Amino acid sequence: MTTALDPKGQLKLVIFDCDGVLVDSEHASCQATAEFARSLGLNISDEAAHDRFSGKALPQVVEELEHELGRSLPENTALKMRDNLVRLMQKTAEPVEGASEMMHGIRDLGVPFRVGSNSSVTEMDAKFERTGMTHFFPEDRVHSANDMNEPKPSPEVYLYAAKAERVLPENCVVIEDSDTGAEAARRAGMSCVLLRADGLPNPSFWPVPGFVRINHLSQLVPLLRNTLERQKQA
């Protein structure tokens, strides 16, 4: 287990990605995207869709599909895909293993936390409602890169969260599972904890100062507690 996190400044804000960190929704959403792509005549398997579209905002997905098709899709395609995903998440979204216990532990640490996701706020509302995590994330602490028209790897959603908390980027740690999201944290000048199963590769830009990797959410609270204790002693 990784035991040391060395943020660039004092840890004052934890920013969570949603999909793959809090809510286990990537498989179902990518499968739905693959089915939609096949309905357009594209030969994209469920597995390929997961590799290609995991962590991406719907406008990015539509752009990729249009590029492969060689033609434009209707302007409301992303909106229709969002509405379909909301209905899907209301039925299928589940918490990532250990997410609820982890969130109680984070709250006990006393460090403020927010969410910054490529999902729309509408999608996240459905996911948090389904998984029983709405009470952790009031509306003013949930931020959508998709709704800002600044999808990751743009750092804007993370920078916005830091500004809303009135802290500097170097005082933030981002909890991510995707290369796209970790790149957004790197561009934002924030530290990052990458949640990724053993055996899977690191992002191409790894290693990065202030970035560490864990393989289960149960490791996150001890990691952050250790960081806070070391900072108090410094």
Side-chain angles (χ1 to χ4, degrees), residues 16 21-22 98-107 175 217-218 220-221:
F16 290 99
V21 172
L22 299 171
S100 180
E101 296 85 350
M102 179 273 296
M103 287 306 308
H104 281 96
I106 293 290
R107 190 162 59 184
I175 317 303
L217 283 178
S218 62
L220 182 60
V221 172

Side-chain angles (χ1 to χ4, degrees), residues 98-222:
S100 180
E101 296 85 350
M102 179 273 296
M103 287 306 308
H104 281 96
I106 293 290
R107 190 162 59 184
D108 290 344
L109 289 179
V111 181
F113 50 85
R114 292 175 177 266
V115 172
S117 173
N118 265 350
S119 291
S120 67
V121 169
T122 303
E123 291 172 72
M124 285 188 278
D125 285 347
K127 293 167 185 174
F128 292 150
E129 179 69 26
R130 163 77 181 178
T131 58
M133 286 193 278
T134 301
H135 64 287
F136 288 120
F137 302 108
E139 183 178 345
D140 63 346
R141 306 191 74 80
V142 176
H143 312 294
S144 166
N146 178 79
D147 295 354
M148 293 171 62
N149 293 317
E150 290 283 356
K152 306 172 194 177
S154 167
E156 290 305 313
V157 69
Y158 289 146
L159 294 173
Y160 183 88
K163 184 177 181 180
E165 194 65 37
R166 298 183 180 180
V167 300
L168 297 174
E170 55 262 38
N171 298 129
C172 303
V173 59
V174 171
I175 317 303
E176 267 288 355
D177 69 309
S178 71
D179 291 10
T180 301
E183 171 65 11
R186 187 176 73 88
R187 293 184 187 183
M190 299 177 177
S191 299
C192 180
V193 177
L194 181 69
L195 175 65
R196 185 160 294 181
D198 289 337
L200 297 178
N202 285 323
S204 60
F205 51 82
W206 202 272
V208 179
F211 279 43
V212 299
R213 176 171 167 167
I214 61 175
N215 59 29
H216 194 275
L217 283 178
S218 62
Q219 298 171 295
L220 182 60
V221 172

Side-chain angles (χ1 to χ4, degrees), residues 60-72:
Q60 294 171 302
V61 173
V62 171
E63 186 176 335
E64 286 196 30
L65 294 177
E66 289 178 331
H67 178 75
E68 190 159 340
L69 285 167
R71 61 179 175 86
S72 297

Side-chain angles (χ1 to χ4, degrees), residues 39-52:
S39 76
L40 298 172
L42 297 175
N43 184 22
I44 299 179
S45 67
D46 293 353
E47 294 76 14
H50 187 275
D51 293 340
R52 288 180 55 178

